[in-house]
Amino acid sequence: MLGFCLVGGGFIGPLHAANIAAHRRARLAWVVDLDLGAAQKLAATHGARASANLDDALADPAVGAVMICTPPRTHAAIIERAAHAGKAIFCEKPVDLDITRVDACARTVAASGVPFFVAFNRRFDPTHRALADAIRAGEIGRPEMLVLSSRDPEISPPDYVAAMPYGIFYDTMIHDFDMVRWLLADEPVEIFARTACMLDAKVNPHRDPDTAMVTLTMTSGALVHVNSSFRAVYGYDQRIEAFGEKGMLVSHNQQPTSLERYDASGIRRDPLLRFFIERYAASYARELDEFIRAIEESRAPPIAIEDGRRALLIADAAVASAKSGKAIALPA
Amino acid sequence: MLGFCLVGGGFIGPLHAANIAAHRRARLAWVVDLDLGAAQKLAATHGARASANLDDALADPAVGAVMICTPPRTHAAIIERAAHAGKAIFCEKPVDLDITRVDACARTVAASGVPFFVAFNRRFDPTHRALADAIRAGEIGRPEMLVLSSRDPEISPPDYVAAMPYGIFYDTMIHDFDMVRWLLADEPVEIFARTACMLDAKVNPHRDPDTAMVTLTMTSGALVHVNSSFRAVYGYDQRIEAFGEKGMLVSHNQQPTSLERYDASGIRRDPLLRFFIERYAASYARELDEFIRAIEESRAPPIAIEDGRRALLIADAAVASAKSGKAIALPA
Amino acid sequence: MLGFCLVGGGFIGPLHAANIAAHRRARLAWVVDLDLGAAQKLAATHGARASANLDDALADPAVGAVMICTPPRTHAAIIERAAHAGKAIFCEKPVDLDITRVDACARTVAASGVPFFVAFNRRFDPTHRALADAIRAGEIGRPEMLVLSSRDPEISPPDYVAAMPYGIFYDTMIHDFDMVRWLLADEPVEIFARTACMLDAKVNPHRDPDTAMVTLTMTSGALVHVNSSFRAVYGYDQRIEAFGEKGMLVSHNQQPTSLERYDASGIRRDPLLRFFIERYAASYARELDEFIRAIEESRAPPIAIEDGRRALLIADAAVASAKSGKAIALPA
Amino acid sequence: MLGFCLVGGGFIGPLHAANIAAHRRARLAWVVDLDLGAAQKLAATHGARASANLDDALADPAVGAVMICTPPRTHAAIIERAAHAGKAIFCEKPVDLDITRVDACARTVAASGVPFFVAFNRRFDPTHRALADAIRAGEIGRPEMLVLSSRDPEISPPDYVAAMPYGIFYDTMIHDFDMVRWLLADEPVEIFARTACMLDAKVNPHRDPDTAMVTLTMTSGALVHVNSSFRAVYGYDQRIEAFGEKGMLVSHNQQPTSLERYDASGIRRDPLLRFFIERYAASYARELDEFIRAIEESRAPPIAIEDGRRALLIADAAVASAKSGKAIALPA
């Protein structure tokens, strides 16, 4: 039974808390949030203890793992404290937004020897995983092109956007950058990015990019395209298309029901699942299970801090390209 | 170059006339219609001659084939005149609505030795044919169930309905009865039918059945379901589903374009192709070509008068079942 | 917190046990099975107590509800004991195979006043329910035809088949009979059924029908077709198509992933979800939740014993029709 | 009746010849090819005259239009001769590969006043056109992203590739560049291109790019992605996806039949239509009809030489970007 301390009760925290509570071999021991009321509320739902001070939880020997769900800029400090306390770490992406801090975290984690996991949940989506398995099984031979559509139904609130400029790369496409590396088992050598501000000033007052296209060239020569938007009115648009010498694999979108409605105006189906909570419900449960099993079996969790670091490097280069209008080379 | 005399310039006549005109090895020589004006109008479009008298055309040695597109009750007389004149015959279904007249026609045709073809056009639809080929190739092993949906977007005009009561069996499902025999290469031994009047009295004043379901049991034991309606508001609904020991084959509906529209309310595609003219455009061209090739190669056309007779027997039994509420045995 | 005694640890028992265990406001208190070892094994998984004697559990005041997962012929006796003990009853379909016993149960249940629920789980499937909601919202106007495909990937073991002849009606289509009544909010007045034995004698040694087609005529005049097979090699084939004056609604099949594979031979998708456990996972969880909420809110559970009785009457008539070859009238 | 002289009897010539022959208001008068035998063969099929000398046909007053189907480097000279002879011109894309020659042609055509049409056939595909109409009707509001997949099933023969390096831009994507301009009614201001050689040296001995990705930025700020390959083993992959503030439109691929095959391994459909001849059959017929109607109605044909010039400018810039690794600005 792995005891968890969940840090950060907002946003994705309640989803992870519920998954921990539902897992047969895990329990939610603590919820920590600077807003003690928020911590208490979430803790109460699952019979956990609450605190505004992480030390309270880290001191509890019943806590085997720390799950970090706070805003990105706070991750590094929590990682370091958890590592020093010898707790396994499950960290929401990105590890941090500053590559030097990520490097420092990596050193701290390595020195401490604690298991560390970056929660790139999409790797655990059943369809994406079936696509990955098919690539590895050689179904399309050598991959030649990858096309990813990664579109959110809405932009984050202005203060969230203000706290993380270029969130379209750091917060959204960072998932795709990880998927590209994982699906192709290869690294990009170059990136070119173009962005646009298409949303109204009312919802995007900081005029941060809300629309983006990226081209990646991989070591193998394979070409990759990713596009993103913060205004997919028809739902969370999450598609991956892998093209190779023997064919193509497509991970299609998903819908709440399989109902089809025919009338004189045509044939209608549901809009897409609304957002990540609905679309990736299975992947969130599976990534937690994989993390727990890795701890139980004393092996490294399936996504390392180096994966978080690589994805951030690509996001940094995307921003540099978008700002300069030039293709940016990526370190080997 | 096969010269055609087309009899019956209304309804399906213009479609067949255009196909004859477009065929490389055929020409439209005559259009015959009791309404001379109608004959002249259609003839003019294709540079053919027109008459209200079939004898004019039958006397023309340039006419090698007679294509019968008139109302069903007139078919038998025209068949007999064409057979006596030694012309190949292409006859719209049904051959006739009276089985004794069909038998008489069959004898006349056999005695005359002229090639004869019943225009069950659906056998020539590319997708239905691919389904038939797959059955014959053993893809689903022994066929066990067949499910056909055969729904029109509208009911015929009241006078047409009055002239052919139970048209849902004699005019519409007769196609399906032929398809069942052809797809399974088997004969039904029993039929059960149920009908309903669902349309408003305004469009169906004679209260002739406009909705129907049929169960057929085949010699092989395979079970068959057919359903029909004269009110498919979303277009001409034409599907066939063949289920067998190794799998299932489905001939799906078709649409004008492959466009898909996503918005906040869902995902929309076109309604189905509107009616038989649009849906079976390819099959009409192909059946004509098959007929012409059979004449050229001095072999029997691919659908015989016996096929027309069998389909009519099944339609008669469907009516008997619908009227009596009992399953009706079919002659071997 | 509603305490459950689950009776019958085999077949569907473990699925229901897991759903009870996962439900926030329920707990599995007892597992009862004549095979004590089986009871103990399932009980141990969920921290429940085990017994071979139902009385042990009925005597426990912590038990508020009895969930009956035993073979059909044992249902009536358990229902009566649970009713006398004043426990709410959640009963797998069919209530019983003998209509007089069902009637007796209905009287006992009514007299005892305990809440009673027949587990027609398909009513809780999200897509089927969306279809039902769309009918009720008038999207297709008056329903005119209903077409249900209800095909299992395999036949039950010979001893199971021997214990329930015509299981294709009593065990499988009984779900569809319930769906028809529920979807149309209407009762059938007549049924016609045809069956076949298509499976090899090795898997169907008793030559019980493994393939069936049924036509139902409803009070409203609407026509209904249901087809079933015990050999859908491509997975659990569960489709509903509702056709009406304003259009058509289709509840389509579902697949494990949305992956599509393109190669030179064509485009491939996954086979269907394998069987009811996979296909109706959500519906099993939802029916349990609906049952629990009804108990909590002191209202009648959403499917009454009368629904079980009606479905059985239709199944009885289907058997009578299949045996006699005649359409069978159903009591109003 | 518009008389055509078709120049260039190979490749796409026979398709256009057949469409001319089938058109009610057109006739194929001449086929001209340096290979007189080829000209005679194609001419004979349609009852036209043949010559190896264009002057023979240009001197014939029965010739109202010249259709140019020769290799690109010969287009300019033929355009100029046809313009001087006062014939309407239907020219396969590209107008020429040298922008200065295109400019010269444009001046000659303008001076002569003859109608001129560049055969960007995809604009006439029913589904692409429905997508264009939907954009213009405001269905997706302001377009924000366009994603085009434009993949051939095979590379051209080595000598053809040798004659036109970077054919992936000049011969294939030039269609997409035209579509982008047409769909968005906007011009690109910048292009970034990346290419790869993925095919075996046996089929691509000149190591000309056979795989490419392009990003275009439009005047409006909209972002466009195009990808191409000469190895789509599953057929001719032609998709367009237009994303905007109110939704998304997708022009999907098309298949020879709508048959679906279910077996234990999954669900299969046909591969895509094989290549442009099959996929764009309707668009070739429609572009011819549009050209003829424009001549008949004395209005400018629907695609001007300026459209050909713009597409070539974009292709030139794509090559410059692919060679330099830099984004290239496009002239306003």
Side-chain angles (χ1 to χ4, degrees):
Chain A
M1 207 69 170
L2 183 62
F4 274 85
C5 165
L6 185 146
V7 193
F11 209 50
I12 195 95
L15 181 152
H16 281 306
N19 283 341
I20 292 169
H23 195 283
R24 292 277 173 88
R25 303 189 307 282
R27 57 181 284 268
L28 186 62
W30 286 85
V31 176
V32 173
D33 199 302
L34 290 181
D35 175 349
L36 181 61
Q40 285 170 330
K41 190 178 165 197
L42 182 56
T45 312
H46 300 289
R49 301 172 70 184
S51 174
N53 186 346
L54 179 58
D55 290 333
D56 293 343
L58 294 180
D60 182 352
V63 170
V66 172
M67 177 176 272
I68 305 173
C69 307
T70 51
R73 70 193 140 62
T74 67
H75 288 185
I78 299 169
I79 289 168
E80 282 161 4
R81 289 165 72 187
H84 290 136
K87 309 296 187 186
I89 299 168
F90 179 115
C91 184
E92 265 303 323
K93 42 58 53 178
V95 176
D96 193 274
L97 292 169
D98 178 342
I99 196 74
T100 60
R101 293 224 59 185
V102 175
D103 288 340
C105 282
R107 285 189 299 270
T108 303
V109 166
S112 72
V114 298
F116 187 95
F117 175 76
V118 189
F120 284 122
N121 64 295
R122 294 187 195 172
R123 291 199 193 189
F124 302 91
D125 174 72
T127 302
H128 294 340
R129 185 158 285 253
L131 185 148
D133 290 347
I135 290 179
R136 301 207 200 309
E139 284 195 27
I140 57 166
R142 181 172 56 162
E144 297 174 354
M145 296 196 290
L146 211 59
V147 175
L148 297 94
S149 295
S150 180
R151 304 174 193 161
D152 291 1
E154 65 192 26
I155 193 169
S156 297
D159 57 342
Y160 187 99
V161 169
M164 196 200 306
Y166 281 90
I168 203 161
F169 295 129
Y170 288 122
D171 202 32
T172 297
M173 269 202 201
I174 201 165
H175 276 292
D176 303 287
F177 299 147
D178 180 65
M179 290 298 278
V180 169
R181 294 181 61 247
W182 177 63
L183 289 171
L184 298 181
D186 191 11
E187 300 293 337
V189 294
E190 186 199 85
I191 188 165
F192 177 79
R194 270 284 167 247
T195 63
C197 278
M198 292 289 184
L199 298 188
D200 297 336
K202 264 179 288 185
V203 293
N204 184 9
H206 301 294
R207 311 315 290 155
D208 201 48
D210 52 44
T211 306
M213 284 192 173
V214 153
T215 306
L216 293 156
T217 308
M218 307 301 290
T219 305
S220 70
L223 300 176
V224 176
H225 164 77
V226 189
N227 67 68
S228 265
S229 165
F230 290 153
R231 171 157 63 179
V233 299
Y234 50 87
Y236 192 46
D237 190 351
Q238 297 281 301
R239 286 171 286 150
I240 302 173
E241 183 181 317
F243 175 91
E245 56 180 334
K246 294 183 185 168
M248 176 167 68
L249 300 160
V250 185
S251 177
H252 282 286
N253 277 310
Q254 292 168 19
Q255 296 165 282
T257 78
S258 61
L259 189 67
E260 205 166 40
R261 298 155 195 259
Y262 290 64
D263 64 23
S265 72
I267 306 172
R268 284 178 301 131
R269 288 182 290 139
D270 291 348
L272 305 182
L273 289 167
R274 212 196 74 79
F275 211 170
F276 59 95
I277 300 284
E278 296 85 2
R279 171 65 174 86
Y280 288 122
S283 74
Y284 285 113
R286 288 184 188 205
E287 71 173 0
L288 178 69
D289 186 62
E290 286 288 326
F291 174 75
I292 292 169
R293 285 166 55 192
I295 306 297
E296 291 170 345
E297 299 169 9
S298 300
R299 52 177 170 79
I303 310 181
I305 198 166
E306 174 65 10
D307 294 302
R309 188 182 154 270
R310 285 276 174 182
L312 181 64
L313 281 176
I314 302 172
D316 278 343
V319 174
S321 174
K323 287 181 172 171
S324 68
K326 293 180 181 167
I328 303 292
L330 282 154
Chain B
M1 205 73 169
L2 184 62
F4 275 85
C5 165
L6 185 146
V7 194
F11 210 50
I12 194 100
L15 181 151
H16 281 308
N19 282 341
I20 292 169
H23 195 282
R24 293 274 174 92
R25 301 189 310 280
R27 58 180 284 267
L28 186 63
W30 286 85
V31 176
V32 173
D33 199 303
L34 290 180
D35 176 349
L36 181 61
Q40 285 169 330
K41 189 178 165 196
L42 183 55
T45 311
H46 299 289
R49 300 172 70 183
S51 175
N53 186 346
L54 179 58
D55 291 333
D56 294 343
L58 295 180
D60 182 352
V63 170
V66 173
M67 176 175 273
I68 305 174
C69 307
T70 52
R73 67 190 142 65
T74 67
H75 287 184
I78 299 169
I79 289 168
E80 283 161 2
R81 289 166 73 188
H84 290 136
K87 311 294 188 186
I89 298 168
F90 178 114
C91 183
E92 265 303 323
K93 40 59 53 179
V95 175
D96 193 275
L97 291 169
D98 178 342
I99 196 76
T100 62
R101 293 225 59 186
V102 174
D103 288 341
C105 282
R107 285 190 300 271
T108 303
V109 165
S112 73
V114 299
F116 188 96
F117 175 76
V118 191
F120 284 124
N121 65 294
R122 293 187 196 173
R123 291 199 193 188
F124 302 91
D125 174 72
T127 302
H128 293 341
R129 185 157 284 253
L131 185 148
D133 290 346
I135 290 179
R136 301 209 200 308
E139 284 194 27
I140 58 166
R142 181 170 57 162
E144 298 175 354
M145 297 197 289
L146 210 59
V147 175
L148 296 93
S149 295
S150 179
R151 304 174 191 162
D152 291 0
E154 66 194 24
I155 193 168
S156 298
D159 56 343
Y160 186 100
V161 170
M164 196 201 304
Y166 281 89
I168 203 162
F169 296 129
Y170 287 122
D171 203 33
T172 296
M173 269 203 202
I174 200 164
H175 276 293
D176 302 288
F177 298 148
D178 178 67
M179 289 299 278
V180 168
R181 294 181 60 247
W182 176 64
L183 289 172
L184 299 181
D186 192 10
E187 301 292 338
V189 295
E190 187 199 85
I191 188 166
F192 177 79
R194 271 283 170 247
T195 63
C197 279
M198 293 289 183
L199 298 189
D200 298 336
K202 263 178 291 187
V203 292
N204 184 9
H206 301 292
R207 309 318 290 155
D208 200 51
D210 52 44
T211 307
M213 282 191 174
V214 153
T215 307
L216 293 156
T217 309
M218 307 302 289
T219 306
S220 69
L223 301 175
V224 177
H225 165 76
V226 189
N227 67 67
S228 265
S229 165
F230 290 152
R231 173 157 61 179
V233 298
Y234 50 87
Y236 192 45
D237 190 352
Q238 298 279 302
R239 283 170 289 148
I240 302 173
E241 183 180 317
F243 175 91
E245 57 180 334
K246 294 183 186 168
M248 176 167 67
L249 299 161
V250 184
S251 177
H252 283 284
N253 277 311
Q254 292 166 18
Q255 296 164 284
T257 77
S258 62
L259 189 68
E260 206 165 40
R261 298 155 195 260
Y262 290 65
D263 64 23
S265 72
I267 304 172
R268 284 178 301 132
R269 286 181 292 137
D270 290 348
L272 305 183
L273 288 167
R274 210 195 75 79
F275 211 169
F276 58 95
I277 301 284
E278 294 84 5
R279 171 65 174 83
Y280 286 123
S283 75
Y284 285 113
R286 287 185 188 205
E287 73 174 356
L288 178 69
D289 187 61
E290 287 287 326
F291 175 74
I292 291 169
R293 286 167 51 191
I295 306 298
E296 290 171 345
E297 299 169 9
S298 299
R299 52 178 172 78
I303 310 181
I305 198 165
E306 174 65 11
D307 294 304
R309 188 181 155 272
R310 286 277 173 182
L312 181 64
L313 282 176
I314 302 171
D316 278 344
V319 174
S321 175
K323 286 180 172 171
S324 69
K326 292 179 182 166
I328 303 292
L330 281 154
Chain C
M1 206 72 169
L2 184 62
F4 275 85
C5 165
L6 185 147
V7 194
F11 209 51
I12 195 98
L15 182 151
H16 282 307
N19 282 341
I20 293 168
H23 195 283
R24 291 276 174 91
R25 302 189 308 280
R27 59 181 283 269
L28 185 63
W30 286 85
V31 176
V32 173
D33 198 302
L34 291 180
D35 175 348
L36 182 59
Q40 286 170 330
K41 191 178 163 195
L42 182 56
T45 311
H46 300 289
R49 301 172 70 182
S51 175
N53 186 345
L54 180 58
D55 290 334
D56 294 344
L58 294 180
D60 181 351
V63 169
V66 173
M67 177 177 273
I68 305 174
C69 306
T70 53
R73 67 191 142 64
T74 66
H75 287 183
I78 300 169
I79 289 168
E80 283 160 4
R81 290 166 72 188
H84 291 137
K87 310 294 188 186
I89 299 170
F90 178 115
C91 184
E92 265 303 321
K93 37 62 53 181
V95 176
D96 192 275
L97 291 168
D98 178 342
I99 196 75
T100 61
R101 293 225 59 188
V102 175
D103 288 340
C105 282
R107 286 189 299 270
T108 305
V109 165
S112 72
V114 298
F116 187 94
F117 176 76
V118 191
F120 284 122
N121 64 294
R122 293 186 196 174
R123 291 199 193 188
F124 303 92
D125 174 73
T127 302
H128 294 339
R129 185 158 283 254
L131 185 148
D133 290 346
I135 290 179
R136 300 207 201 307
E139 284 194 26
I140 59 166
R142 181 172 56 161
E144 298 175 354
M145 297 197 288
L146 210 58
V147 175
L148 297 93
S149 295
S150 180
R151 305 174 191 161
D152 291 1
E154 66 194 24
I155 193 169
S156 298
D159 56 343
Y160 186 99
V161 170
M164 195 201 305
Y166 281 90
I168 203 162
F169 296 128
Y170 288 121
D171 203 31
T172 297
M173 269 202 203
I174 200 164
H175 277 292
D176 302 289
F177 299 148
D178 179 66
M179 290 298 278
V180 168
R181 295 181 60 249
W182 177 64
L183 289 172
L184 298 181
D186 191 11
E187 300 293 337
V189 293
E190 186 200 84
I191 187 165
F192 178 78
R194 270 284 168 246
T195 63
C197 278
M198 292 289 182
L199 298 188
D200 297 336
K202 262 178 293 187
V203 292
N204 184 9
H206 300 293
R207 312 315 290 156
D208 199 51
D210 51 44
T211 307
M213 281 191 176
V214 153
T215 306
L216 293 156
T217 308
M218 307 302 290
T219 304
S220 69
L223 301 176
V224 177
H225 164 77
V226 189
N227 67 67
S228 265
S229 165
F230 290 153
R231 172 158 60 181
V233 299
Y234 50 87
Y236 193 45
D237 190 353
Q238 297 282 302
R239 282 170 288 150
I240 301 173
E241 183 181 317
F243 175 92
E245 57 179 335
K246 294 184 187 167
M248 176 167 66
L249 299 160
V250 184
S251 175
H252 282 285
N253 277 309
Q254 292 167 18
Q255 296 166 281
T257 77
S258 61
L259 189 67
E260 205 166 39
R261 299 155 194 260
Y262 290 65
D263 64 23
S265 72
I267 305 172
R268 284 178 300 131
R269 287 181 292 138
D270 290 349
L272 306 182
L273 289 167
R274 211 194 75 78
F275 212 170
F276 59 94
I277 301 283
E278 294 86 3
R279 171 65 174 86
Y280 287 123
S283 75
Y284 285 113
R286 288 185 187 204
E287 71 173 359
L288 178 69
D289 186 62
E290 286 289 325
F291 174 75
I292 291 169
R293 285 167 52 192
I295 305 298
E296 291 171 345
E297 299 168 8
S298 299
R299 52 176 171 78
I303 310 181
I305 198 165
E306 174 65 10
D307 295 302
R309 188 182 154 270
R310 285 277 173 181
L312 181 64
L313 281 176
I314 302 172
D316 278 344
V319 174
S321 175
K323 285 180 173 171
S324 68
K326 293 178 180 164
I328 303 292
L330 281 154
Chain D
M1 206 73 169
L2 184 62
F4 275 86
C5 165
L6 185 147
V7 194
F11 209 51
I12 195 99
L15 182 151
H16 282 306
N19 282 342
I20 293 169
H23 196 283
R24 291 275 173 89
R25 301 190 309 281
R27 58 180 286 268
L28 186 63
W30 287 85
V31 176
V32 172
D33 199 303
L34 291 181
D35 175 348
L36 181 60
Q40 285 170 332
K41 190 178 163 195
L42 182 56
T45 311
H46 300 290
R49 300 172 72 184
S51 175
N53 186 346
L54 179 58
D55 290 333
D56 294 344
L58 294 180
D60 182 350
V63 169
V66 172
M67 177 176 273
I68 304 174
C69 306
T70 53
R73 69 190 142 64
T74 67
H75 287 183
I78 299 169
I79 289 168
E80 283 161 4
R81 289 167 71 187
H84 289 137
K87 310 294 188 186
I89 299 170
F90 178 115
C91 183
E92 266 302 323
K93 40 58 58 180
V95 176
D96 193 275
L97 292 169
D98 178 342
I99 196 74
T100 61
R101 292 226 58 186
V102 175
D103 288 341
C105 282
R107 285 189 299 268
T108 302
V109 165
S112 73
V114 299
F116 187 96
F117 175 75
V118 190
F120 283 122
N121 64 294
R122 293 186 195 173
R123 290 199 192 187
F124 302 91
D125 175 72
T127 303
H128 293 340
R129 185 158 284 254
L131 185 149
D133 290 346
I135 290 179
R136 300 207 201 308
E139 284 196 27
I140 58 167
R142 180 171 56 162
E144 298 174 354
M145 296 196 289
L146 209 59
V147 175
L148 297 94
S149 295
S150 180
R151 304 174 191 161
D152 292 359
E154 64 193 25
I155 193 169
S156 298
D159 56 343
Y160 186 100
V161 170
M164 197 201 302
Y166 280 90
I168 203 161
F169 296 128
Y170 288 121
D171 203 31
T172 297
M173 269 202 202
I174 200 164
H175 277 292
D176 302 288
F177 299 147
D178 179 65
M179 290 298 278
V180 168
R181 293 182 60 248
W182 177 64
L183 289 171
L184 298 182
D186 191 10
E187 302 292 337
V189 294
E190 185 199 85
I191 187 165
F192 177 78
R194 270 284 169 245
T195 63
C197 279
M198 291 289 183
L199 298 188
D200 297 336
K202 263 179 291 187
V203 294
N204 184 10
H206 300 295
R207 310 318 288 157
D208 200 51
D210 51 45
T211 307
M213 282 191 175
V214 153
T215 305
L216 292 155
T217 308
M218 307 302 289
T219 304
S220 69
L223 301 176
V224 177
H225 164 76
V226 190
N227 67 68
S228 266
S229 164
F230 290 153
R231 172 156 65 180
V233 300
Y234 50 87
Y236 192 47
D237 190 351
Q238 297 282 302
R239 285 171 285 150
I240 301 174
E241 184 180 318
F243 175 91
E245 56 181 334
K246 294 183 186 169
M248 175 168 67
L249 299 160
V250 185
S251 176
H252 282 285
N253 277 311
Q254 293 168 17
Q255 295 166 283
T257 77
S258 61
L259 188 67
E260 206 166 40
R261 299 154 194 261
Y262 290 65
D263 64 23
S265 72
I267 305 173
R268 283 178 301 130
R269 288 181 291 139
D270 291 348
L272 306 182
L273 288 167
R274 213 197 73 77
F275 211 169
F276 58 95
I277 302 284
E278 295 85 3
R279 172 65 175 85
Y280 287 122
S283 75
Y284 285 114
R286 288 185 187 204
E287 72 174 357
L288 178 69
D289 187 61
E290 287 288 327
F291 174 75
I292 291 169
R293 286 167 52 192
I295 306 297
E296 291 171 344
E297 299 169 9
S298 299
R299 52 177 170 79
I303 311 182
I305 198 165
E306 174 65 10
D307 294 302
R309 188 180 154 272
R310 284 276 174 182
L312 181 64
L313 281 176
I314 302 171
D316 278 343
V319 174
S321 175
K323 285 181 172 172
S324 69
K326 293 179 181 167
I328 303 291
L330 281 155

